[in-house]
Amino acid sequence: QFVSRVMPIVTSYFNNAATSNNNLQRVAIEAVSNCIDIIRQALKIQYRNAWGNILPGGYATFTSTLALNLLEMRGAGNEANNGNSELGGKLQSWLKELVVSLLRLRDDVEKDGTARTAVEYATSTVMRGMGLELFLSLVDFTDDHVDIGDKKKKSLNTESGGGLWWLLPLMKQSASADASALASSSSITTRSH
C-alpha cells in the first residue's frame, strides 16, 4: 500500500519541465524500477491469502498511476518536446509486464475461487484506471511467447481463444463505466423555443 501511495509523488518528477534537475528525474525512474520489483513480490502464490487487499488496492493503484503518466506524456506531446521518448518506452514496458503478469496469474489460480476473484477484480480496476484502449494495446492476444532476457516465456493462454474469455465481461463493464463517466461529465441542455 505504501508503494502505491508514494507513486504520484515519485512520478511527478518524470516531467523535465517540472524539475530543473535531471538527477531528480533519474532518481524517480530508478525508484519506480525498484518499486516494480517490490510490487512483483505481491504476485507470489505465498501471498494469495492477502490478494483481496493487495491486488485491487496497491497493485492496481500502482499500475494505474504509471498508466496515467504514460497517457499524460502522450497527450501533452511531452515525448517529442522534452526528449522523454526513453521514459515513455520504459513506462510502456513496465505496464506491459505488470498487466501481463496479472493476466498470467489468473491462469495460475484457475481453481482457487477466492484468489481468482481477487485477480479478476484487480484486472477490472486496472482496466478502469488506465482505460480500455491502453489496456488492449499492452496485451498481445496473438503472441504466445514473450522474450524475457534470454528466455522465451509463455505470455498468456491464447490457444484457440482459451484462457482469456474471462476478460470479456470485465472489458464490457469497464467500457460502460467509461461511457457513463463521459455522459455525466458533459451536460447537454436543450431548450424548446
Side-chain angles (χ1 to χ4, degrees):
Q1 293 290 348
F2 174 75
V3 170
S4 66
R5 291 176 192 214
V6 170
M7 286 314 300
I9 297 165
V10 172
T11 57
S12 70
Y13 293 105
F14 280 171
N15 186 353
N16 279 337
T19 63
S20 58
N21 186 346
N22 283 340
N23 287 333
L24 288 175
Q25 184 186 38
R26 184 184 50 76
V27 168
I29 292 169
E30 281 182 37
V32 170
S33 180
N34 291 332
C35 288
I36 286 175
D37 292 335
I38 294 168
I39 290 291
R40 199 179 298 129
Q41 296 296 315
L43 298 180
K44 290 188 173 184
I45 292 291
Q46 67 198 37
Y47 299 118
R48 83 171 153 204
N49 290 335
W51 282 351
N53 294 324
I54 294 171
L55 295 181
Y59 193 89
T61 302
F62 179 83
T63 304
S64 296
T65 300
L66 291 181
L68 290 175
N69 277 274
L70 179 62
L71 292 171
E72 284 176 13
M73 286 177 63
R74 288 179 177 174
N78 287 336
E79 286 186 89
N81 298 337
N82 296 336
N84 281 338
S85 61
E86 183 179 338
L87 176 58
K90 283 183 181 184
L91 284 169
Q92 178 89 15
S93 173
W94 289 332
L95 286 168
K96 183 175 179 95
E97 177 186 345
L98 291 167
V99 168
V100 170
S101 294
L102 190 59
L103 298 181
R104 192 180 307 123
L105 188 62
R106 168 57 168 72
D107 285 342
D108 294 343
V109 295
E110 178 70 33
K111 305 230 185 287
D112 182 343
T114 305
R116 187 183 67 240
T117 300
V119 171
E120 289 175 359
Y121 185 64
T123 303
S124 175
T125 304
V126 167
M127 280 183 196
R128 283 192 310 272
M130 70 173 47
L132 266 181
E133 185 176 347
L134 179 58
F135 180 85
L136 291 173
S137 74
L138 296 171
V139 180
D140 186 355
F141 292 99
T142 59
D143 184 17
D144 284 341
H145 293 88
V146 172
D147 290 322
I148 299 177
D150 57 349
K151 301 183 253 176
K152 279 199 172 270
K153 186 169 188 177
K154 188 160 179 63
S155 62
L156 297 169
N157 180 8
T158 56
E159 298 161 4
S160 67
L164 298 176
W165 59 268
W166 62 274
L167 285 174
L168 294 175
L170 300 180
M171 286 188 240
K172 183 178 178 185
Q173 182 183 37
S174 178
S176 24
D178 290 347
S180 64
L182 181 62
S184 67
S185 68
S186 60
S187 60
I188 301 173
T189 55
T190 57
R191 298 176 192 209
S192 59
H193 294 287

